[in-house]
Structures are given as structure tokens and as C-alpha cells.
Amino acid sequence: MSDLQMGLIALGVLFILLVLGFNWWQDRRVRRKMQAQFPGSEQDPLLGAGDMRAGAAPVVASGPSRREPGIGHSNAAVSSEAPSHEADDPQEPDPACEVVIEVRFSEPVRGADLVPHLQSLRSVGRKPLRVFAETDGHRHRARVHAQETYVSLQLAVLLANRSGALTAIEWSQAWARAQDLADRFDGNIESPDQQAALEQAARLDDICAALDTQVGLTLVMQAPMSASDVLSAAMALGFSVDGPRLAWLADSGVTRFTLSRADGAPLEAGGAPSDRLYLLLDVPCTPADARAFGRMVDVGRDLAGRLGADLVDDQGKPLGHGADEVIDERLQVLFQQLEQAGLPAGGERALRVFS
């Protein structure tokens, strides 16, 4: 091999090393800029539940695979009304199930200027996003008020729900929204490392998947019944309208179980006749109750009598004597596991991640 060839090879190797070194330096510089302490609490069992055994939940009737998130459980980003008090707002980001990207402004920004850019800030991909803010008087706000002035915004993105764990694309969308606000209002971004956020999201998703359980019953009508008659009978029994379905509520206002058409169509007046209805107990989203399933069975039997229908299980068979008691005993184990995981059934955090 000639001296010229050896020299060219040496120059090529040196050039590659220089490129790798420059990329490493750039990556380190960006990471230092982005790095912030990842939110967490040693006291929260959810953050230390990574060793929970998959499948620990009792096998009652497994719900569907992780599905589209529902609407709700996210705060309105802006408000046209002035705050009614000088104290901090009680609602704040939940570090056990949300990741926070903060935008700090070099100079205080009027809420009236921020409002137009926050109106549509509700979600990234399939993950709800909540907006919090800090006033120039160091007051914490759960929404931005046009009459106030702010020194920072916090974008709290849900780490996991029934659509799955937060993805790199969803993280990038949240980061892009934060960057847009920083560019518009001369701000700096502080956030956790992306990989750390995605890993926490995956851990939360694994825990939720192991505890996600739903139990259903079917009302089979002897003949198709009009939607109006179904609604009339159900609401007379105590159901309330909840979008395209009906809900049986606890005293706290949280849904215990729901009633919907088995074909998935909205249950509304004027709809097509229905020959099957579906009662669903979404276990993580219902308040813990010693008779969670038994209560649904009682209401289901009463409604079946009013509609002239048969009440059957998910195998199409009538409920056996004492079956509700057996299932309720098994549900108590699941309620306890949800509590231990930091996801009390029917609580705000559970409603958020099991949406």
C-alpha cells in the first residue's frame, strides 16, 4: 500500500472521529439544556410499583385491549373570568401519571396574550394535556386568566391511558407546542429527559394493563324495543344520560356502571329499536364497593323485568345462584391492588389513566 493511500486512510479516520466528536458534543449540549429533575415522589406507591407481577389482577372478565381515550378529566387551558381568590389553585400536575414540560418567560406575559395560543391546547396524539401557570405574584393557576400576568407555563402530558403509553411522537408534539410558546414569548424550556419520560410511561402502562378489568352483563329483549321506551324505563329506574350511553351514579357523582346498546350505536331518543343492551362495570373507574357487581346485577334484573328481557352473562347464560357474591369477592382483591398501586378505584388518577 503506497504512502498516499495510507495518508488518505488516516485522513478519513480522522475526519470520522471529528464528526463523531462534534455530534457527541452537540448531544451533550442539548441534553444539558433539556435536563431537569424528573418529577417523582418516593411516597407514591405507583412510582415504586415497577415490580408488580403482570396478571396479578383476578380474572373476572377482562376488558378490551387498550382503547381510545375518553373525553374529560383535563382542565380547560384558559378562562375568561378573573380568579375569585388570591390563593393557589388546588389542582396541580400529578407526577405519578403526568410528565411536565415548563416554559419560563424572560419577562412576565399577559394572560390576554397567551389565551389565543392556548385555546386548542388540549391533547397531543391520544394523550390529554393540561395547562398550569405561575403568576408574577407566584400564585399557582390551573388555568390561564386573561386579566393576570404570568412568568411560566407548565404543560402536563398524561403518561399512559387506554391508548397505551406515551410515544416518542406524542412527546415530540408536546415539545413542539412548548417550543412554539417559548419562541413566541421569549421563554426557555425545562423538562425531563425524553427517554426517562418514555420509560416511566411504559412502566405505568404495564401496571395499568395488569389491573384493567371490566365486567359485563347483557339484556336480551324478547322483541326489539324502541330507544324511547328503553330510555324511559332506564331513567325511571335511576339512570342518567352520559353522552351516547346511560350511567348509574354513586353518591359522589362518579359512574358505578353504564348501560349502552350492544351494537355500539348511541342510546338516544329516536334511535333505531334495540334487541340487546349492555351493562358494563369498568372496575378501575368505579368507586370501591363490597357489592360493586351485585349492585349492577340487582339493577339489571329490575330493568330486565321492566323491559321484558333476559339478563345473561358474557357467555349468554343466566347468572347462577350466588355468582354475584363470588365475583364481588374477587373484585375486592382487585380494588385492593389498585389502592396499593396508587390508583384508587374511581379516584381522579384512575379516571385519568383508565380513560
Side-chain angles (χ1 to χ4, degrees), residues 135-283:
T135 71
D136 55 354
H138 304 293
R139 294 299 183 188
H140 170 74
R141 293 287 179 250
R143 59 186 63 178
V144 170
H145 300 269
Q147 299 87 345
E148 290 188 317
T149 304
Y150 299 93
V151 296
S152 69
L153 291 177
Q154 295 80 43
L155 309 185
V157 185
L158 191 64
L159 287 165
N161 57 10
R162 280 177 170 155
S163 71
L166 180 73
T167 66
I169 292 176
E170 290 169 332
W171 168 269
S172 297
Q173 291 175 350
W175 180 266
R177 300 302 296 271
Q179 187 64 61
D180 179 64
L181 290 168
D183 292 342
R184 289 178 183 274
F185 300 102
D186 190 19
N188 294 314
I189 299 176
E190 298 178 10
S191 82
D193 174 69
Q194 174 181 341
Q195 189 58 36
L198 297 182
E199 288 175 359
Q200 187 188 6
R203 289 195 299 270
L204 176 60
D205 186 55
D206 287 344
I207 293 169
C208 294
L211 297 173
D212 198 354
T213 302
Q214 299 175 334
V215 188
L217 294 170
T218 303
L219 285 86
V220 182
M221 253 76 81
Q222 297 175 1
M225 183 168 290
S226 71
S228 297
D229 288 341
V230 170
L231 284 169
S232 177
M235 295 180 73
L237 191 57
F239 281 93
S240 301
V241 175
D242 181 21
R245 62 186 186 177
L246 300 181
W248 186 275
L249 305 178
D251 293 339
S252 62
V254 176
T255 299
R256 287 195 179 278
F257 49 87
T258 59
L259 177 69
S260 60
R261 291 175 58 115
D263 60 8
L267 186 55
E268 56 188 3
S274 177
D275 59 358
R276 286 175 179 264
L277 300 173
Y278 193 51
L279 283 165
L280 180 68
L281 176 66
D282 192 344
V283 179

Side-chain angles (χ1 to χ4, degrees), residues 77 100-105 109 114 117-118 121 130-134 141 143-144 150-156 178 181-182 185 188 190:
V100 176
I101 301 175
E102 183 170 28
V103 181
R104 287 205 156 271
F105 307 124
V109 179
L114 290 170
H117 304 285
L118 301 179
L121 202 55
R130 301 194 293 166
V131 176
F132 299 90
E134 181 185 355
R141 293 287 179 250
R143 59 186 63 178
V144 170
Y150 299 93
V151 296
S152 69
L153 291 177
Q154 295 80 43
L155 309 185
L181 290 168
F185 300 102
N188 294 314
E190 298 178 10

Side-chain angles (χ1 to χ4, degrees), residues 19-37:
V19 171
L20 291 175
F22 178 76
N23 287 342
W24 174 85
W25 177 79
Q26 283 277 65
D27 180 71
R28 185 176 178 84
R29 178 167 164 267
V30 171
R31 282 181 179 275
R32 278 202 306 266
K33 184 177 179 181
M34 292 174 57
Q35 188 67 39
Q37 181 64 35

